[in-house]
Amino acid sequence: MFVDQVKVHLKAGKGGDGLVSFKHEKYVANGGPFGGDGGHGGNIIFEADPGMVTLLDLRYHRIIRAEPGEKGKNKRMHGAAAPDTVIKVPLGTMIKKADTGQIIADLTEPGQRQIVAQGGRGGRGNSRFKSSRNTVPRYAEPGREGEEFDAIVELRTLADVGLVGFPSVGKSTLLEAVTKAKPEIGDYPFTTISPNVGVVQTKDGRSFVMADLPGLIEGASQGKGLGHQFLKHIERCRVIVHVIDMGGSEGRDPVEDYRIINQELENYHLRLLDRPQIVVANKMDLEEAQENLKRFKEAYPDLEVFETTTIIHEGLDPVLRKAADLLAVTPLFPLTDEKEEDEGVTYTFEEKEKPYTIVRHEDGVYEVTGRIIDEQFHPEKLTTDEDYFRFANQMRYLGIDKNLRAAGAKDGDTIMLQGYEFEFVEQ
């Protein structure tokens, strides 16, 4: 089964907690702090594997978790870092955040790796907090949570030349004739339901990768038929070979077929018509082919048309030489999901997420919320005066007390964190 898009949930490993421990040594207060740091949580890494052609494995493993780091140990020993979780995917795989569409990784080279979800940092043990003012720290830092989010894993065929055209115009037959690929070919519509890829070598020794892509129909750019399942696979192609059934064997008009397919390519948001296009008039052995070709050239007098009969391998060499010539002078096209206006590219800037937000609910009541609060505030670990002292120092270091004063907080006001209430004390 060919699977080219999967939504997965990624959860990188949590960092190990730091340890509170003391060395038992004479003349050292409480033996001296001796707790080690926790190990880092495992990353989630995606790796491009040339031997894979589908995302089928991910379809049945949609939740991917990395292991947590080990807790800190006695004698200032660090906990072990967790191993990374490596997910192998085919060449041409793109990973995006499901909520924003942000591209995290685009794997186009064999063996290429990318950290997609970062593991959490290990917490510091109590030996890290020793100072001249605090010789016996009785607290340690908890490990940070690893990144967690939903991701879209999408395969976009990695080919230099893409074959486009209505179903059953002879694209699969052409690919089989010029490469060693063996696509399934039959006398019925939509024979090709997934991309087939092969390596082409011209008689003068040049080579490139060609993909036979699923047939288009009118309305494909709006999702009809195979719709975007087809169009996204042509995004990486630098040259398009447009195959037309000039014999009209399926009862369609070749002149209208050319217009419809190009309209769908134009409607798709990546300006596919900007790519050089080779027009192939196929099935020239059929009875009405010459008459249709005459009408076609009258309708499109500026086009260079290559006549072929792919079933008997006739007329293919000029097409391959033309494709190789165009590839030599055609650069890679930018790959993006953003629509571009005709007058140019429009750039938008998103404000960076604030680590915390202060909201004033009523006179004397303020609430602090945000990512940094969720990471730093662990009420279950506030069990001693030292724990509260350390937490207060963290809030001061982050500038929260300063910003509370700027928001109007005064001595004795109530500060809310995750439903817990604290009294604001001016110092």
Side-chain angles (χ1 to χ4, degrees):
M1 182 186 299
F2 181 80
V3 178
D4 61 2
Q5 182 169 309
V6 179
K7 183 177 181 179
V8 295
H9 183 77
L10 305 178
K11 176 68 172 73
K14 176 182 178 296
D17 295 338
L19 180 70
V20 176
S21 174
F22 294 94
K23 181 180 180 181
H24 299 291
E25 185 176 335
K26 195 174 183 180
Y27 305 122
V28 178
N30 284 339
F34 222 37
D37 300 346
H40 293 319
N43 302 315
I44 296 178
I45 297 175
F46 278 69
E47 178 183 340
D49 183 352
M52 299 183 68
V53 295
T54 176
L55 299 174
L56 182 61
D57 290 349
L58 288 180
R59 185 169 185 174
Y60 300 107
H61 300 88
R62 298 201 178 197
I63 299 178
I64 300 172
R65 290 190 177 93
E67 296 181 21
E70 193 176 23
K71 293 182 179 180
K73 299 181 179 181
N74 200 3
K75 300 181 181 179
R76 297 197 186 105
M77 290 192 295
H78 290 209
D84 294 331
T85 297
V86 179
I87 307 298
K88 293 191 176 183
V89 291
L91 286 173
T93 298
M94 176 184 291
I95 300 99
K96 302 183 291 185
K97 285 195 173 182
D99 54 350
T100 65
Q102 175 192 357
I103 297 174
I104 309 170
D106 188 14
L107 306 176
T108 59
E109 300 291 336
Q112 181 181 349
R113 284 187 164 202
Q114 177 68 47
I115 296 176
V116 174
Q118 191 85 38
R121 191 186 71 191
R124 292 174 291 176
N126 69 330
S127 61
R128 293 277 195 159
F129 297 98
K130 182 181 178 181
S131 67
S132 59
R133 296 173 56 187
N134 186 17
T135 58
V136 193
R138 292 188 175 87
Y139 50 82
E141 196 173 46
R144 297 286 183 89
E145 292 290 340
E147 289 186 296
E148 182 175 9
F149 55 89
D150 289 331
I152 302 295
V153 183
E154 191 173 87
L155 173 60
R156 300 186 181 186
T157 303
L158 205 60
D160 302 307
V161 177
L163 302 174
V164 304
F166 269 94
S168 302
V169 296
K171 301 187 301 298
S172 296
T173 305
L174 191 156
L175 183 73
E176 184 184 35
V178 299
T179 74
K180 294 182 179 181
K182 299 295 181 183
E184 180 184 1
I185 301 173
D187 187 20
Y188 50 89
F190 289 102
T191 297
T192 306
I193 59 175
S194 63
N196 295 294
V197 181
V199 178
V200 178
Q201 186 162 15
T202 62
K203 289 186 177 180
D204 58 5
R206 293 178 292 176
S207 62
F208 54 86
V209 178
M210 178 180 285
D212 161 31
L213 303 165
L216 280 170
I217 63 171
E218 188 171 7
S221 58
Q222 280 74 48
K224 283 190 177 180
L226 296 174
H228 288 85
Q229 294 180 40
F230 158 78
L231 287 165
K232 69 185 177 188
H233 287 292
I234 202 175
E235 292 179 5
R236 297 187 190 273
C237 298
R238 288 187 286 152
V239 174
I240 294 174
V241 174
H242 191 154
V243 184
I244 302 169
D245 177 4
M246 201 56 71
S249 61
E250 299 295 319
R252 295 188 307 269
D253 179 10
V255 177
E256 188 67 6
D257 281 3
Y258 179 78
R259 183 195 67 80
I260 291 173
I261 294 300
N262 277 332
Q263 186 65 53
E264 296 307 319
L265 297 178
E266 183 178 13
N267 290 343
Y268 194 60
H269 64 264
L270 281 184
R271 291 183 173 179
L272 297 179
L273 283 186
D274 288 354
R275 291 153 172 75
Q277 189 174 129
I278 300 171
V279 179
V280 174
N282 192 31
K283 303 187 181 181
M284 291 302 298
D285 58 324
L286 298 183
E287 184 177 350
E288 298 182 7
Q290 290 297 332
E291 180 62 31
N292 287 336
L293 180 60
K294 181 180 177 181
R295 290 193 305 109
F296 187 89
K297 289 184 175 180
E298 290 173 354
Y300 306 103
D302 297 331
L303 286 180
E304 181 182 12
V305 181
F306 293 83
E307 301 177 31
T308 67
T309 304
T310 55
I311 197 168
I312 58 172
H313 299 194
E314 185 176 291
L316 299 180
D317 286 341
V319 176
L320 302 184
R321 287 198 303 270
K322 181 67 174 180
D325 291 342
L326 289 173
L327 286 172
V329 297
T330 304
L332 292 172
F333 287 82
L335 192 63
T336 174
D337 280 346
E338 295 298 325
K339 294 185 178 181
E340 297 178 354
E341 302 296 335
D342 290 338
E343 63 270 16
V345 181
T346 301
Y347 294 95
T348 58
F349 296 90
E350 295 184 2
E351 185 179 359
K352 188 176 180 180
E353 179 189 4
K354 295 180 179 179
Y356 60 87
T357 303
I358 297 174
V359 178
R360 180 177 179 177
H361 289 294
E362 55 187 83
D363 286 343
V365 178
Y366 298 83
E367 184 176 10
V368 185
T369 60
R371 172 182 53 81
I372 198 70
I373 299 299
D374 296 336
E375 291 178 355
Q376 299 288 343
F377 183 50
H378 301 280
E380 71 279 2
K381 295 188 177 182
L382 299 179
T383 57
T384 67
D385 290 342
E386 279 199 344
D387 293 335
Y388 283 99
F389 177 76
R390 171 180 167 273
F391 177 67
N393 279 337
Q394 282 182 313
M395 297 299 101
R396 188 174 298 109
Y397 175 77
L398 294 169
I400 293 177
D401 60 338
K402 177 181 177 182
N403 288 326
L404 280 169
R405 282 192 293 272
K410 299 181 179 62
D411 192 54
D413 286 349
T414 300
I415 310 300
M416 298 177 61
L417 300 174
Q418 296 182 359
Y420 289 83
E421 294 185 0
F422 298 87
E423 182 180 347
F424 185 70
V425 179
E426 284 278 11
Q427 291 185 348

